[in-house]
Amino acid sequence: MSHVENLIEDEAGVKRVVQDARRVAVLGIKTEDHSGQPAYYVPEYLAKAGVDVVPVPVYYPDAKQILGKPVYRKLVDIPGDIDLVDVFRRAGDIDQHVDDILAKRPKAVWFQSGIRNDAAAKKLAAAGIRVVQDRCLMVDHRRYSGR
């Protein structure tokens, strides 16, 4: 598979990423205090839908748990495999996380709605990681999970 094929832009590819996402690390997750924001309610939806959500907040140094799960500060610190990293970071802030993502080697990375970083996406895709950009995981999960 060439790295261009890992840049997922077709519906079949998106569906496959969603259906393979059983364990999802949420990079940039917010705390319960921000329940009205997508970076909280999207992972909350996923958890309620049966996805194993692993919180990786960027801020909130005092947070020990989010959604009842232990918090990790870096993806590479999470024990076990990750199917998908769901990214809630501004496009310009993604570059600082690329090395951590590459070190963890998830099957796929998802940049949420409004987030596109082609350079980071190409780097991740070249390493064999599937990348979806500028889509809402909650919307596509409802569409494709079959739940």
Side-chain angles (χ1 to χ4, degrees):
M1 191 183 250
S2 79
H3 71 272
V4 173
E5 291 169 6
N6 285 324
L7 296 169
I8 308 296
E9 302 203 339
D10 63 302
E11 291 305 310
V14 169
K15 181 177 182 181
R16 198 162 38 252
V17 169
V18 168
Q19 291 178 338
D20 290 348
R22 309 221 182 290
R23 190 161 190 241
V24 177
V26 182
L27 179 62
I29 190 171
K30 301 228 188 231
T31 63
E32 285 81 354
D33 293 341
H34 301 90
S35 62
Q37 294 190 19
Y40 180 79
Y41 68 71
V42 170
E44 180 186 43
Y45 157 81
L46 293 170
K48 287 180 176 169
V51 174
D52 181 8
V53 173
V54 182
V56 186
V58 175
Y59 305 108
Y60 318 109
D62 297 335
K64 301 283 181 256
Q65 286 196 333
I66 297 175
L67 296 170
K69 302 282 191 121
V71 161
Y72 293 89
R73 296 295 161 187
K74 286 187 149 320
L75 296 165
V76 78
D77 294 337
I78 300 169
D81 292 335
I82 292 292
D83 298 317
L84 180 65
V85 176
D86 187 17
V87 179
F88 284 92
R89 299 290 286 140
R90 287 187 185 94
D93 292 335
I94 290 173
D95 295 335
Q96 67 188 313
H97 299 288
V98 169
D99 288 343
D100 187 32
I101 295 169
L102 290 170
K104 187 58 192 169
R105 299 207 56 79
K107 293 182 189 128
V109 174
W110 190 289
F111 297 165
Q112 278 292 144
S113 299
I115 304 168
R116 180 172 279 281
N117 182 324
D118 291 329
K122 284 182 182 135
K123 199 180 279 190
L124 296 168
I129 298 168
R130 292 179 291 165
V131 181
V132 175
Q133 298 195 80
D134 192 18
R135 293 185 69 127
C136 179
L137 184 54
M138 183 169 75
V139 170
D140 284 322
H141 190 273
R142 283 184 175 139
R143 183 178 295 147
Y144 293 129
S145 69
R147 293 195 178 119

